Every structure is written in C-alpha cells, then in structure tokens.
Amino acid sequence: AQKITQTQPGMFVQEKEAVTLDCTYDTSDPSYGLFWYKQPSSGEMIFLIYQGSYDQQNATEGRYSLNFQKARKSANLVISASQLGDSAMYFCAMREGQQGAQKLVFGQGTRLTINP
Amino acid sequence: DTAVSQTPKYLVTQMGNDKSIKCEQNLGHDTMYWYKQDSKKFLKIMFSYNNKELIINETVPNRFSPKSPDKAHLNLHINSLELGDSAVYFCASSLLQGAADTQYFGPGTRLTVL
C-alpha cells in the first residue's frame, strides 16, 4: 500500500505566484517525521523542510512552509513567491521504522514548472 | 566543503561486469544509506549502516554488497550487473537514527548498464 501519495504528477505556475504541492501519508505510528526534498534537473536531492508528528506549529523555512493537517494526514508544501529556480521535482517523504532502523519512504514526486 | 560525496558521477558498463560506487561524508554522521532512483524517479531505500553496522537490508539482490570501512564511508559493490540495475544511486547520511534526523544526500551516481 502506498504510504506517501503525491497526486500531482506535474504543476505549472506563473512566476511570483504561491504554489501548494500536495502530500498525504498513511501510518499508524504515533511518532513520525515528514520531509520535503527538491530535485532540480542537475539531479541532486536537496532537503527543504521537516515536520515532526508532535510539532504544534507548522514548519517554515524561508519561502517554504509545510501545511500540516494531522487529522487529514496531509503535509502539503507551500512555496511563496515562486521563482524560476523553483522549477524541479519535489518529493515528500516519511520517516518510518523502529528506533535505530529507520528509513525514508518517498512519494512519486511532483514536477513543478515555473513560467516567466 | 562537500558534505556527502559520491564517485563516480556517471558509470557506463556492460552487462555481467562488476562495479563499485564510493560514498564519503564529512558531516560526522553516524548513519549512512543507499537509495535507488529508477527511471520513473521513484526513490527506494536499499541499505542503511549505523557506525559500520548493517541496519537495514531492504530485500536487495545479494549481487549488491555494501561495505562500510568506517563510519564516514559506505561503498556499494554490484556483481554481475543486469540491465535492470540501470538507475541513479544516491548515498545519504544522518547524524543518528530516529528523532528529527534529516538525511542529507550525495549528488547521485547514474549507472547505465548496456
């Protein structure tokens, strides 16, 4: 069963607009972590933002914020004031497994294209 | 200054050959990982090591053998390469296992098996 679902294979957004990338997850663990990574065309995986399941506030990092809705099991990434350099693949991931043997499980990714 | 480095960046080889990919991290992290990204961009964990000890082996064929000579290095050796092994392989590291630990990725190694 898919544990991380990203329902938007591709998105096209006008420069300077805000964009929301969707991510839903499935877990029965009370303690988990959610991550977003960016993969530009050059191929590297860049960590963007983290949200812990017990965090009371939504995580923010510069122009990135995470809209965490625990009851809905969603962890959407919001990019404000999008820039051309934001064009990339974006992956949502969840940390799962027992303490000491944890791994990241990734979604299928969303390809974001920012139009000038 | 590179935090997690991998060599080589590109690897093109014939079916049946044996090849290795090296990974080094200078972040002082205790845990290292290998992930495989297929042609559809799907990323999946293969192995993780904590302080040179194998922690996760995610049902990877035994043609793949990771080796960790010390906690800063995690190499991946692949025997008898097959066409289906063509992918991008990412090494990653994190300070500890668990808690809020973020995994930092290397630049990836694109393996092409002909």
Side-chain angles (χ1 to χ4, degrees), chain B residues 14-29:
Chain B
Q14 298 287 332
M15 214 165 41
N17 284 350
D18 304 338
K19 290 293 178 185
S20 290
I21 306 171
K22 295 186 176 181
C23 177
E24 177 181 0
Q25 54 92 6
N26 62 6
L27 296 167
H29 287 171

PDB file of all heavy atoms in Angstrom, chain B residues 14-29:
ATOM      1  N   GLN B  14      29.104  -2.750 -19.194  1.00  0.00           N
ATOM      2  CA  GLN B  14      28.430  -3.843 -19.872  1.00  0.00           C
ATOM      3  C   GLN B  14      27.763  -4.774 -18.870  1.00  0.00           C
ATOM      4  O   GLN B  14      28.212  -4.918 -17.708  1.00  0.00           O
ATOM      5  CB  GLN B  14      29.448  -4.642 -20.690  1.00  0.00           C
ATOM      6  CG  GLN B  14      30.138  -3.863 -21.793  1.00  0.00           C
ATOM      7  CD  GLN B  14      29.228  -3.585 -22.964  1.00  0.00           C
ATOM      8  OE1 GLN B  14      28.288  -4.335 -23.235  1.00  0.00           O
ATOM      9  NE2 GLN B  14      29.481  -2.496 -23.673  1.00  0.00           N
ATOM     10  N   MET B  15      26.723  -5.410 -19.329  1.00  0.00           N
ATOM     11  CA  MET B  15      26.043  -6.443 -18.539  1.00  0.00           C
ATOM     12  C   MET B  15      27.047  -7.508 -18.112  1.00  0.00           C
ATOM     13  O   MET B  15      27.927  -7.878 -18.889  1.00  0.00           O
ATOM     14  CB  MET B  15      24.972  -7.082 -19.432  1.00  0.00           C
ATOM     15  CG  MET B  15      23.733  -7.512 -18.729  1.00  0.00           C
ATOM     16  SD  MET B  15      22.378  -7.858 -19.858  1.00  0.00           S
ATOM     17  CE  MET B  15      23.126  -8.700 -21.183  1.00  0.00           C
ATOM     18  N   GLY B  16      26.924  -7.948 -16.886  1.00  0.00           N
ATOM     19  CA  GLY B  16      27.804  -9.013 -16.387  1.00  0.00           C
ATOM     20  C   GLY B  16      29.028  -8.515 -15.659  1.00  0.00           C
ATOM     21  O   GLY B  16      29.675  -9.283 -14.930  1.00  0.00           O
ATOM     22  N   ASN B  17      29.349  -7.243 -15.841  1.00  0.00           N
ATOM     23  CA  ASN B  17      30.524  -6.692 -15.152  1.00  0.00           C
ATOM     24  C   ASN B  17      30.237  -6.476 -13.672  1.00  0.00           C
ATOM     25  O   ASN B  17      29.090  -6.467 -13.217  1.00  0.00           O
ATOM     26  CB  ASN B  17      30.938  -5.371 -15.792  1.00  0.00           C
ATOM     27  CG  ASN B  17      31.662  -5.555 -17.101  1.00  0.00           C
ATOM     28  OD1 ASN B  17      32.021  -6.668 -17.469  1.00  0.00           O
ATOM     29  ND2 ASN B  17      31.861  -4.464 -17.813  1.00  0.00           N
ATOM     30  N   ASP B  18      31.315  -6.251 -12.922  1.00  0.00           N
ATOM     31  CA  ASP B  18      31.237  -5.884 -11.504  1.00  0.00           C
ATOM     32  C   ASP B  18      31.733  -4.446 -11.363  1.00  0.00           C
ATOM     33  O   ASP B  18      32.750  -4.085 -11.948  1.00  0.00           O
ATOM     34  CB  ASP B  18      32.137  -6.786 -10.650  1.00  0.00           C
ATOM     35  CG  ASP B  18      31.840  -8.260 -10.810  1.00  0.00           C
ATOM     36  OD1 ASP B  18      30.716  -8.591 -11.230  1.00  0.00           O
ATOM     37  OD2 ASP B  18      32.741  -9.075 -10.530  1.00  0.00           O
ATOM     38  N   LYS B  19      31.001  -3.658 -10.581  1.00  0.00           N
ATOM     39  CA  LYS B  19      31.391  -2.254 -10.397  1.00  0.00           C
ATOM     40  C   LYS B  19      31.148  -1.815  -8.961  1.00  0.00           C
ATOM     41  O   LYS B  19      30.327  -2.412  -8.247  1.00  0.00           O
ATOM     42  CB  LYS B  19      30.585  -1.334 -11.329  1.00  0.00           C
ATOM     43  CG  LYS B  19      30.942  -1.464 -12.798  1.00  0.00           C
ATOM     44  CD  LYS B  19      32.361  -0.969 -13.064  1.00  0.00           C
ATOM     45  CE  LYS B  19      32.727  -1.144 -14.531  1.00  0.00           C
ATOM     46  NZ  LYS B  19      34.141  -0.777 -14.795  1.00  0.00           N
ATOM     47  N   SER B  20      31.853  -0.751  -8.591  1.00  0.00           N
ATOM     48  CA  SER B  20      31.686  -0.190  -7.236  1.00  0.00           C
ATOM     49  C   SER B  20      31.402   1.299  -7.313  1.00  0.00           C
ATOM     50  O   SER B  20      31.894   1.992  -8.210  1.00  0.00           O
ATOM     51  CB  SER B  20      32.955  -0.394  -6.414  1.00  0.00           C
ATOM     52  OG  SER B  20      33.137  -1.748  -6.108  1.00  0.00           O
ATOM     53  N   ILE B  21      30.616   1.769  -6.352  1.00  0.00           N
ATOM     54  CA  ILE B  21      30.354   3.190  -6.168  1.00  0.00           C
ATOM     55  C   ILE B  21      30.794   3.540  -4.751  1.00  0.00           C
ATOM     56  O   ILE B  21      30.492   2.816  -3.804  1.00  0.00           O
ATOM     57  CB  ILE B  21      28.853   3.532  -6.321  1.00  0.00           C
ATOM     58  CG1 ILE B  21      28.312   3.012  -7.652  1.00  0.00           C
ATOM     59  CG2 ILE B  21      28.638   5.026  -6.214  1.00  0.00           C
ATOM     60  CD1 ILE B  21      26.795   3.118  -7.774  1.00  0.00           C
ATOM     61  N   LYS B  22      31.531   4.653  -4.655  1.00  0.00           N
ATOM     62  CA  LYS B  22      32.042   5.048  -3.341  1.00  0.00           C
ATOM     63  C   LYS B  22      31.276   6.245  -2.801  1.00  0.00           C
ATOM     64  O   LYS B  22      30.827   7.103  -3.550  1.00  0.00           O
ATOM     65  CB  LYS B  22      33.525   5.386  -3.443  1.00  0.00           C
ATOM     66  CG  LYS B  22      34.384   4.196  -3.818  1.00  0.00           C
ATOM     67  CD  LYS B  22      35.860   4.528  -3.756  1.00  0.00           C
ATOM     68  CE  LYS B  22      36.688   3.289  -4.049  1.00  0.00           C
ATOM     69  NZ  LYS B  22      38.133   3.561  -3.969  1.00  0.00           N
ATOM     70  N   CYS B  23      31.143   6.282  -1.489  1.00  0.00           N
ATOM     71  CA  CYS B  23      30.462   7.391  -0.833  1.00  0.00           C
ATOM     72  C   CYS B  23      31.235   7.778   0.422  1.00  0.00           C
ATOM     73  O   CYS B  23      31.660   6.916   1.203  1.00  0.00           O
ATOM     74  CB  CYS B  23      29.035   6.998  -0.458  1.00  0.00           C
ATOM     75  SG  CYS B  23      28.149   8.306   0.432  1.00  0.00           S
ATOM     76  N   GLU B  24      31.375   9.073   0.598  1.00  0.00           N
ATOM     77  CA  GLU B  24      32.047   9.601   1.785  1.00  0.00           C
ATOM     78  C   GLU B  24      31.267  10.788   2.314  1.00  0.00           C
ATOM     79  O   GLU B  24      30.768  11.598   1.542  1.00  0.00           O
ATOM     80  CB  GLU B  24      33.467  10.042   1.433  1.00  0.00           C
ATOM     81  CG  GLU B  24      34.216  10.679   2.584  1.00  0.00           C
ATOM     82  CD  GLU B  24      35.612  11.136   2.186  1.00  0.00           C
ATOM     83  OE1 GLU B  24      36.003  10.966   1.026  1.00  0.00           O
ATOM     84  OE2 GLU B  24      36.327  11.658   3.071  1.00  0.00           O
ATOM     85  N   GLN B  25      31.156  10.889   3.633  1.00  0.00           N
ATOM     86  CA  GLN B  25      30.528  12.067   4.229  1.00  0.00           C
ATOM     87  C   GLN B  25      31.470  12.673   5.267  1.00  0.00           C
ATOM     88  O   GLN B  25      32.130  11.944   6.017  1.00  0.00           O
ATOM     89  CB  GLN B  25      29.150  11.726   4.836  1.00  0.00           C
ATOM     90  CG  GLN B  25      29.122  10.585   5.839  1.00  0.00           C
ATOM     91  CD  GLN B  25      29.279  11.000   7.285  1.00  0.00           C
ATOM     92  OE1 GLN B  25      29.312  12.193   7.600  1.00  0.00           O
ATOM     93  NE2 GLN B  25      29.368  10.015   8.167  1.00  0.00           N
ATOM     94  N   ASN B  26      31.517  14.012   5.270  1.00  0.00           N
ATOM     95  CA  ASN B  26      32.389  14.710   6.216  1.00  0.00           C
ATOM     96  C   ASN B  26      31.579  15.494   7.240  1.00  0.00           C
ATOM     97  O   ASN B  26      32.036  16.516   7.765  1.00  0.00           O
ATOM     98  CB  ASN B  26      33.375  15.624   5.472  1.00  0.00           C
ATOM     99  CG  ASN B  26      32.670  16.709   4.672  1.00  0.00           C
ATOM    100  OD1 ASN B  26      31.457  16.868   4.752  1.00  0.00           O
ATOM    101  ND2 ASN B  26      33.440  17.470   3.901  1.00  0.00           N
ATOM    102  N   LEU B  27      30.357  15.004   7.494  1.00  0.00           N
ATOM    103  CA  LEU B  27      29.456  15.684   8.425  1.00  0.00           C
ATOM    104  C   LEU B  27      29.566  15.132   9.844  1.00  0.00           C
ATOM    105  O   LEU B  27      28.890  15.636  10.745  1.00  0.00           O
ATOM    106  CB  LEU B  27      28.010  15.534   7.941  1.00  0.00           C
ATOM    107  CG  LEU B  27      27.717  16.199   6.590  1.00  0.00           C
ATOM    108  CD1 LEU B  27      26.379  15.736   6.045  1.00  0.00           C
ATOM    109  CD2 LEU B  27      27.750  17.710   6.727  1.00  0.00           C
ATOM    110  N   GLY B  28      30.350  14.092  10.026  1.00  0.00           N
ATOM    111  CA  GLY B  28      30.440  13.461  11.335  1.00  0.00           C
ATOM    112  C   GLY B  28      29.210  12.643  11.688  1.00  0.00           C
ATOM    113  O   GLY B  28      28.946  12.364  12.857  1.00  0.00           O
ATOM    114  N   HIS B  29      28.444  12.254  10.680  1.00  0.00           N
ATOM    115  CA  HIS B  29      27.217  11.486  10.902  1.00  0.00           C
ATOM    116  C   HIS B  29      27.537  10.028  11.217  1.00  0.00           C
ATOM    117  O   HIS B  29      28.566   9.491  10.827  1.00  0.00           O
ATOM    118  CB  HIS B  29      26.320  11.559   9.674  1.00  0.00           C
ATOM    119  CG  HIS B  29      25.664  12.887   9.512  1.00  0.00           C
ATOM    120  ND1 HIS B  29      24.958  13.245   8.380  1.00  0.00           N
ATOM    121  CD2 HIS B  29      25.595  13.970  10.337  1.00  0.00           C
ATOM    122  CE1 HIS B  29      24.475  14.460   8.525  1.00  0.00           C
ATOM    123  NE2 HIS B  29      24.852  14.925   9.698  1.00  0.00           N
TER     124      HIS B  29
END
